[in-house]
Amino acid sequence: MAKKEYSFYPGCSSQKGASASNYQTSVDAMCDTLDIQLNEIPDWNCCSASIGYAEGGELPRIALTARNLALSEQANPGQDVVATCAACWLSTRESKDRLLEDSQLMKETNEALAQAGLKVQANQKIRHMVEVLIEDFGYDELGAKVTKPLEGIKIAGYVGCQTNRPFGIDGESFENPMYLDKLVETMGGEPLEAYDKKVQCCGGALAFSEPEKSQAMIKDIIESAYDHGAEMIVTPCPVCQMNTEVYQEHINKKYNTKFNMPVVYYSTLMSVAYGKGYKESGLDGQIIRAKKLEEISKR
Amino acid sequence: MADLNVAAIEKYRNNFLKEVEANVEEGEWVKMCMQCGVCSGSCPLGSAWDHPPQELFMMIRAGKREEVLTSDSMWMCTSCYNCVVRCPRGLPITHIMHGLASYALRLGLAPKNQPTRKFAVLFWENLVKTGRVNELKLGLNLYFMNGFIEGIKTALGMQKIGLGMWKTKRMSPMEFFGGHGCKDAKGLQAILKKAREIEDAKRQKFNS
């Protein structure tokens, strides 16, 4: 099969020494197996996630993402823009839609971009990596590359919010998306049948500003995974991953629980199932170690 | 921005709905709310809102300007988009909440000590400096946003998480001394400055 190429928007958290650098590591390993070439958008900037709106306002926020699109059009013409971070994907896709439906906004955005000699058309498709996997490969093709099936591991597919709403993955429902469960199954693992918290919000950025309220929600997400027999949680979003992994000790103290649930990315599962090593799969980035995956990666 | 507030009061006197339609992102949708309450029932932090979205929409139409703009409520939005996908009328509720919060901030009416307001401003300022978020500095600023003593307490409480992040190479002390950023941060800042000017000029026009 020919190599597939995409214009890649990695986002702040995926950088070296940043909170989701382990996500990027596993994405690289996964793409190596699938023969995907990610052409990084040169000099990309932050998308302002879902918290920059207050100070940023509307046009500056859209101009921010438009700059990335303009750079992508220049450097990687004709290629779909792919993001791995839920917030990056959402903000970029939202801006693109808004630019295309509002010619006044397009005009104003280009007026701002001209300050740096840039111009945007916003005519590229904006996609999440999960869409690339499902639509450009498909479960059968993804499964065909598995060399070390994740046999006997029960995994809770925690989809969360922003890869699911408002855009979501084509053909999936907002209330009960199945793609993560299908990916788990494709990798030889065992998805939970009735994980009722699969689309529960983790608090997102409010985990920082409203820690108590957010941790109450995070507690429910992890508790439900335990209640349904999960040994680990898998997620497609860097904020979901971080929120559900790093606060477990705080939650244990406050609620007298004994949580110690590893939370990994879909790309971590796939890298391990594709036979990549401990480090290549980003397993060294787990604060709560995913021991079952470590065992498989060492086999 | 107090002047902007006075100008807006003068201009719209008894019609807060018109003010929202002209100045708040996606504000022209507010009149479409049919008061079913699905948004309020769908919000993960619903119980934390003094006035859930459905109520805010009614208050806007009832002209309760001060109560809406000084409210803590829309700052509770986690951007989960539950309300957006469930709203039978298709209102972009998340964006309207963001828009109301942002407009209240521009007018100087947003509650001063609201933690999400503070964090949102820190986040924007952080990203504008180099074009990319510096997670280490953002974290430190966040700990200390309620003063020094509070900051030390928070930092101590977060010590173990920080250590875990550092050990797994998901946090780098080098970020304190610069770190990642855009090469053309100046160009980016010029774009944002221009965008802000255009947005402000439009509001001035509406308000004069």
Side-chain angles (χ1 to χ4, degrees), chain A residues 28-166:
Chain A
D28 288 339
M30 176 189 84
C31 287
D32 175 58
T33 298
L34 295 172
D35 209 14
I36 295 174
Q37 184 177 317
L38 298 176
N39 303 317
E40 186 169 331
I41 299 173
D43 212 39
W44 56 266
N45 53 260
C46 173
C47 70
S48 88
S50 39
I51 193 71
Y53 66 83
E55 179 68 15
E58 187 175 2
L59 189 59
R61 202 182 75 238
I62 285 173
L64 203 58
T65 10
R67 179 179 177 272
N68 290 329
L69 291 180
L71 293 169
S72 174
E73 286 163 19
Q74 257 179 19
N76 307 322
Q79 291 173 18
D80 292 355
V81 175
V82 171
T84 38
C85 166
C88 291
W89 174 57
L90 194 155
S91 317
T92 312
R93 186 160 160 189
E94 208 163 76
S95 297
K96 181 216 145 123
D97 287 358
R98 295 273 285 276
L99 287 168
L100 289 186
E101 73 197 21
D102 184 344
S103 56
Q104 178 66 21
L105 186 68
M106 179 69 106
K107 192 178 140 261
E108 289 163 2
T109 303
N110 271 315
E111 213 179 312
L113 288 180
Q115 296 293 311
L118 293 169
K119 191 177 183 326
V120 75
Q121 290 182 300
N123 53 9
Q124 293 146 298
K125 249 179 130 173
I126 319 292
R127 309 172 71 194
H128 191 275
M129 179 58 86
V130 165
E131 290 180 292
V132 168
L133 296 178
I134 297 169
E135 293 163 7
D136 297 359
F137 289 85
Y139 299 105
D140 289 347
E141 210 175 308
L142 296 173
K145 307 264 185 193
V146 172
T147 56
K148 291 179 177 173
L150 311 178
E151 270 162 6
I153 312 182
K154 276 191 115 176
I155 305 171
Y158 173 48
V159 180
C161 297
Q162 295 193 347
T163 28
N164 184 39
R165 298 180 299 262

Side-chain angles (χ1 to χ4, degrees), chain A residues 205-235:
Chain A
L206 271 67
F208 297 103
S209 53
E210 298 280 1
E212 283 187 19
K213 294 183 183 77
S214 300
Q215 285 174 26
M217 296 192 282
I218 296 168
K219 174 186 162 276
D220 289 348
I221 295 165
I222 301 166
E223 198 162 63
S224 165
Y226 270 113
D227 286 350
H228 293 90
E231 292 157 289
M232 68 182 69
I233 294 175
V234 61
T235 171

Side-chain angles (χ1 to χ4, degrees), chain B residues 94-123:
Chain B
T94 304
H95 296 288
I96 306 171
M97 294 305 119
H98 291 177
L100 281 171
S102 178
Y103 186 52
L105 185 69
R106 291 297 277 164
L107 295 177
L109 296 176
K112 292 271 178 304
N113 287 317
Q114 216 297 324
T116 301
R117 170 211 157 125
K118 286 190 187 172
F119 182 54
V121 174
L122 286 176
F123 191 95

